Amino acid sequence: MSTAAAPHAAPAVPLPPLLWLFAACNFVIGTGAFGMTGYLGPVAEGLGVSISAAGQTMTVYALANAVLAPLLMAATARWPRASVMRLALALFTAGTLLSAAAPHWAVLMMGRVLMGAGAVFTPIAAGVAVQLAAPAQRGQALSRTFLGMSLSYVLGMPYGAWLGLQWGWRWPLLGVGVAALVIGIVLHRQLRAGPATGGTSLRGTGALLRRRDVVLTLLFTLLYFTGIFVVTAYMGPVQLALNPLTPGALSTLLAGVGVAGVVGTLLGGWAADRLGPRRTLALLVGCLLLAMVAVPLSAGHLAWTAALFAVWNLCGFGLMSPQQSRLAEQAGPQAPLLLSLNASMVYIGTALGSAIGGAAIAWVGLTHLAWLAAVFVAAALWTLAVHPARAQPPTRTTVRSPS
């Protein structure tokens, strides 16, 4: 597997401006998907359910994405990518507005299903980013595309936590729905039809899943996201259990540690292009594991809690671009298919982590969820240890920009 750009590689060219629009779309999607973890308390109170039941909004969202996103990508394989992106944002917008208006828990779940289906935008944008960038710039292209997702933790999650705790849980969802509508209009105006095809067919799935390196790479994603979301799905309640905080203080804390996620996103892409995806992943997962083990010990010490979650976010978001680069190297022309399968692992892991975390709260308590999460992250690190690197020449698939 390639670990650095070749010495004779062509000089870097500027990345397409279109990637900034993808980042903006991912910011809105990330805010809607994960922002609710900061105001689960008001959701539970408003709908008359438990915190664990309210946390299953993330489980339903994740399962919907894991099941529906690959099916949508396969069904629209012959569509221009721009058209699929428009459809994805339309579904996400409709789901968010339905969630905001939900009179009871079942309708909220229906809205989250639509949101999960609409989040197919993210792997499609990643596939286009890979195609538009030179092999030596894949990491940077992906980090720019995913920058919006990490910014949603800096701005979106604190915004949701503050607004949801102060004014009610419907308002942050309504705000996300309006933002999704606006960014969808911008996307519609900026995108041309793009490539006639280039979508994802399920035809090559069996061949890919017979490869040991691919299976272990997907298993890494599944284990890592399961571990992360054991805690992340209940981030607001976890932070309040570790340190008593006012709504404003909680929002400030989430924003502060979220900055580390932005740094990690950019650092991960940079490191993947220089150290190689595999080395970068091993380094970041090791640091993340140490932070998880230390988090419960920081209870009652706000500064230590903030520092540990900053490391958590830096490493967690830093993993996104190297893993996507690793997948692109393994798949070559089949990169869109493998990125879609990886997105399913992301959301299956998210659903499993949310469900496991919710079930474990009664047994281990909110303050010790991080120790349970560490078990899954340690298993993800193990997949890197047992899988030897395998060099494959990067494949460049040339397409014209859909912008």
Side-chain angles (χ1 to χ4, degrees), residues 155-397:
L155 302 173
M157 186 180 289
Y159 150 81
W162 178 82
L163 194 60
L165 292 173
Q166 290 278 29
W167 300 101
W169 62 273
R170 298 182 190 275
W171 287 103
L173 282 171
L174 180 61
V176 170
V178 172
L181 180 61
V182 171
I183 199 68
I185 293 172
V186 173
L187 184 81
H188 175 74
R189 292 179 175 177
Q190 291 297 317
L191 293 181
R192 294 202 301 267
T197 58
T200 298
S201 167
L202 298 180
R203 189 173 301 167
T205 303
L208 278 176
L209 294 181
R210 285 193 292 271
R211 288 174 48 184
R212 180 172 179 267
D213 61 323
V214 168
V215 170
L216 284 168
T217 301
L218 294 175
L219 182 60
F220 172 90
T221 300
L222 176 64
L223 291 169
Y224 155 67
F225 271 92
T226 299
I228 285 286
F229 274 89
V230 165
V231 174
T232 300
Y234 306 93
M235 183 60 74
V238 165
Q239 294 289 357
L240 293 173
L242 289 168
N243 298 282
L245 298 167
T246 64
L250 175 60
S251 297
T252 301
L253 174 63
L254 293 175
V257 300
V259 171
V262 177
V263 174
T265 300
L266 299 174
L267 181 63
W270 176 87
D273 289 338
R274 285 156 181 80
L275 302 178
R278 191 178 182 78
R279 291 180 183 176
T280 303
L281 290 171
L283 177 63
L284 292 174
V285 173
C287 293
L288 175 62
L289 184 58
L290 292 176
M292 285 182 161
V293 171
V295 159
L297 305 177
S298 72
H301 303 280
L302 180 58
W304 280 110
T305 301
L308 289 169
F309 273 100
V311 173
W312 181 310
N313 276 358
L314 187 147
C315 295
F317 279 98
L319 289 165
M320 297 174 70
S321 296
Q323 179 69 344
Q324 299 278 342
S325 296
R326 183 184 179 200
L327 291 160
E329 287 184 0
Q330 289 177 333
Q334 291 181 297
L337 173 58
L338 191 50
L339 289 170
S340 176
L341 293 173
N342 186 68
S344 292
M345 294 301 102
V346 167
Y347 285 104
I348 291 173
T350 300
L352 284 174
S354 302
I356 291 169
I361 290 173
W363 298 92
V364 302
L366 288 164
T367 58
H368 294 95
L369 279 182
W371 283 349
L372 178 59
V375 174
F376 293 96
V377 172
L381 185 60
W382 169 82
T383 68
L384 293 175
V386 299
H387 171 41
R390 196 173 86 174
Q392 286 191 359
T395 302
R396 174 82 185 269
T397 303

Side-chain angles (χ1 to χ4, degrees), residues 99-198:
S99 298
H104 48 75
W105 189 81
V107 176
L108 176 61
M109 294 299 111
M110 292 172 58
R112 295 293 283 180
V113 167
L114 285 175
M115 291 172 69
V120 70
F121 176 93
T122 300
I124 293 172
V128 174
V130 167
Q131 292 175 322
L132 295 179
Q137 292 180 294
R138 282 175 177 160
Q140 295 176 66
L142 287 164
S143 67
R144 182 171 297 182
T145 300
F146 285 113
L147 182 62
M149 200 64 71
S150 56
L151 281 172
S152 71
Y153 272 67
V154 180
L155 302 173
M157 186 180 289
Y159 150 81
W162 178 82
L163 194 60
L165 292 173
Q166 290 278 29
W167 300 101
W169 62 273
R170 298 182 190 275
W171 287 103
L173 282 171
L174 180 61
V176 170
V178 172
L181 180 61
V182 171
I183 199 68
I185 293 172
V186 173
L187 184 81
H188 175 74
R189 292 179 175 177
Q190 291 297 317
L191 293 181
R192 294 202 301 267
T197 58

